[in-house]
Amino acid sequence: METDIAIIGGGLSGLSLAWHLAKAGRDFQLFEARARLGGRIASLQRVSPVQAPIGPLGYDLGPSWFWPGQHRMERMVQALGCKKFDQYASGATLIETESGEILRNLGLASMRGAWRLQSGIRGLIDGIAQPLPPDRLHLNHALSGLHQNGRLIFKEGQEYQAQRIVLALPPRLAAGLSFSPQLTPAQQQALTGIATWMGGQAKFVALYDRPFWREDGLSGDALSQVGPLAEIHDASPPQVELNKEAPAALFGFVGLPALARYGQKEAVTQAALAQLARLFGPKAAQPVTVAYQDWAQEAYTATPQDQSPLRQHPSYGLPASLQNLWQGRLAFCVSELAPDAGGYLEGALAAAEEQAELLQREPTK
Ligand SMILES: Cc1cc2nc3c(=O)[nH]c(=O)nc-3n(C[C@H](O)[C@H](O)[C@H](O)COP(=O)(O)OP(=O)(O)OC[C@H]3O[C@@H](n4cnc5c(N)ncnc54)[C@H](O)[C@@H]3O)c2cc1C
């Protein structure tokens, strides 16, 4: 099969690029390694058949928030008709100290002012993918090699030909592809040096029939030096106040190192529930259901180098050595290499916007 533009990766960046190209009437094909679209975006949906009325509500297993001032996200949310709402932030924050003492302070919930989506962030992916021609979206297509003449080779053995190739996957995963001709050592080093934002994290979500912590004057926010959850937040949808059918939720980032939690899903789950009960009372040990997502174990998100969590947000962007590769036929489109807000959802949209503009300026000869 031949195409003008091959997009490799169906996360928010690659999919938004496909969305821009489809609107501009361009010829493209998108290839995604997983059996689903969304990449780092995943939400637990329709948790139980007996709670069917929860419909499109989503509980985020990847990103949860975007913030005022992230104009691309605001525009996209509006264009797709997704409903945003404020992160719940009323009430006291808890702190669990190293000695196990639980302090109930009057500090503000740390994500006050952030926005979430009623559908879960997953609603963005569903909304962007919905108008795209399904025959241009190829799931279960993991790229393994690419040639300067536009030949693409997939792990499953298929081959495609493209005029231009856009790698919409984390730079460290791009570094593991077989390039022909090979990248220079400097280019290879540049790719492996760019950490996948949040790639070493794991999230634990517990759903409850009601937000009982709010009744106790708690915001659901907690910081812990004991763990296993290091940082906890209310993850309930807004309907939780009106509609008892919409389960309330708490989520936490697992503070254990990736290697220590490897193969320990059950043990982490039990320890997380015990911790939630310590913090929020015995009801917290009785969830309707739980979900656990370890991104460090996802081969199409993280590499072994991403196992250690980052201490701070890196300064991202496209290094000079990765610009204008293969006379402009090879480009990147991923949040970490975005011109703005690298690492964030906003960065994924910025990367797609920039790449769409570049492709529009230089239509295929
Ligand atoms: C736990 C967690 C919490 C986060 N919280 C927030 C938050 O609250 N707010 C925020 O703004 N951001 C947050 N982020 C970051 C946000 O998720 C990312 O910025 C964004 O999703 C990146 O999208 P992307 O398309 O650039 O990359 P990805 O989502 O990584 O997409 C890359 C795609 O490429 C595919 N792929 C990989 N290798 C291949 C291959 N060989 N062939 C074909 N396809 C391949 C992958 O399967 C994937 O679909 C969080 C991330 C995580 C993991």
Side-chain angles (χ1 to χ4, degrees):
M1 189 197 275
E2 284 191 27
T3 185
D4 180 1
I5 303 159
I7 305 169
I8 312 299
L12 184 58
S13 299
L15 211 51
S16 317
L17 175 60
W19 194 70
H20 287 295
L21 296 179
K23 282 216 288 198
R26 297 293 300 269
D27 175 37
F28 70 88
Q29 300 287 332
L30 182 148
F31 301 95
E32 164 56 45
R34 289 175 163 107
R36 63 167 183 85
L37 295 168
R40 275 170 269 177
I41 296 174
S43 306
L44 179 69
Q45 286 172 312
R46 295 184 184 83
V47 287
S48 151
V50 282
Q51 286 163 328
I54 72 164
L57 300 178
Y59 299 85
D60 293 310
L61 300 172
S64 301
W65 301 293
F66 63 110
W67 289 269
Q70 294 190 326
H71 300 302
R72 297 177 189 87
M73 277 293 291
E74 287 189 57
R75 280 199 301 272
M76 184 59 92
V77 163
Q78 200 174 14
L80 299 178
C82 293
K83 293 198 175 79
K84 70 174 196 290
F85 67 100
D86 292 335
Q87 167 67 34
Y88 186 80
S90 307
T93 296
L94 299 177
I95 294 177
E96 188 174 33
T97 66
E98 213 171 349
S99 63
E101 197 182 354
I102 295 171
L103 307 174
R104 185 180 167 124
N105 80 354
L106 298 174
L108 299 177
S110 57
M111 287 299 157
R112 177 181 291 265
W115 286 319
R116 293 176 44 214
L117 292 183
Q118 280 191 25
S119 53
I121 297 293
R122 172 83 215 168
L124 285 181
I125 297 299
D126 294 342
I128 295 170
Q130 197 268 329
L132 297 178
D135 59 350
R136 294 193 185 193
L137 306 179
H138 307 270
L139 299 178
N140 300 306
H141 275 65
L143 187 73
S144 56
L146 60 166
H147 195 281
Q148 190 165 16
N149 67 10
R151 192 156 61 97
L152 298 166
I153 303 139
F154 292 85
K155 281 200 181 127
E156 297 79 6
Q158 308 94 321
E159 293 199 6
Y160 290 82
Q161 191 67 35
Q163 293 289 325
R164 289 166 196 276
I165 303 166
V166 181
L167 296 178
L169 61 162
R172 282 182 173 165
L173 293 180
L177 298 173
S178 164
F179 291 82
S180 177
Q182 282 183 355
L183 296 180
T184 64
Q187 289 163 340
Q188 193 72 25
Q189 220 174 349
L191 285 174
T192 48
I194 299 167
T196 312
W197 180 237
M198 304 296 276
Q201 296 286 344
K203 250 186 171 186
F204 176 80
V205 187
L207 270 61
Y208 300 98
D209 56 6
R210 51 177 235 282
F212 51 86
W213 55 93
R214 295 184 186 180
E215 295 154 18
D216 294 338
L218 297 172
S219 63
D221 256 45
L223 294 173
S224 172
Q225 294 173 330
V226 179
L229 305 178
E231 185 186 319
I232 299 163
H233 301 276
D234 187 309
S236 311
Q239 291 86 338
V240 81
E241 300 288 2
L242 312 166
N243 174 3
K244 299 294 175 219
E245 304 267 354
L250 291 168
F251 95 80
F253 290 105
V254 181
L256 298 170
L259 280 177
R261 56 182 200 248
Y262 180 71
Q264 298 296 320
K265 180 176 174 183
E266 192 46 40
V268 172
T269 298
Q270 291 314 320
L273 288 177
Q275 179 187 13
L276 291 174
R278 286 197 305 273
L279 291 163
F280 299 104
K283 289 191 203 91
Q286 307 291 328
V288 177
T289 190
V290 297
Y292 176 63
Q293 172 73 43
D294 191 341
W295 291 98
Q297 306 307 329
E298 292 274 325
Y300 293 118
T301 292
T303 67
Q305 284 168 289
D306 292 308
Q307 306 274 314
S308 316
L310 297 168
R311 301 250 167 262
Q312 56 189 36
H313 199 104
S315 144
Y316 285 123
L318 186 66
S321 63
L322 297 177
Q323 291 169 14
N324 199 30
L325 297 184
W326 293 356
Q327 291 82 47
R329 290 182 80 177
L330 175 62
F332 296 94
C333 175
V334 65
S335 183
E336 281 74 10
L337 299 180
D340 181 30
Y344 295 109
L345 298 166
E346 176 78 0
L349 297 183
E353 215 172 80
E354 182 185 56
Q355 197 50 232
E357 274 169 27
L358 285 171
L359 288 164
Q360 279 307 95
R361 251 185 265 152
E362 296 171 34
T364 310
K365 287 141 203 148

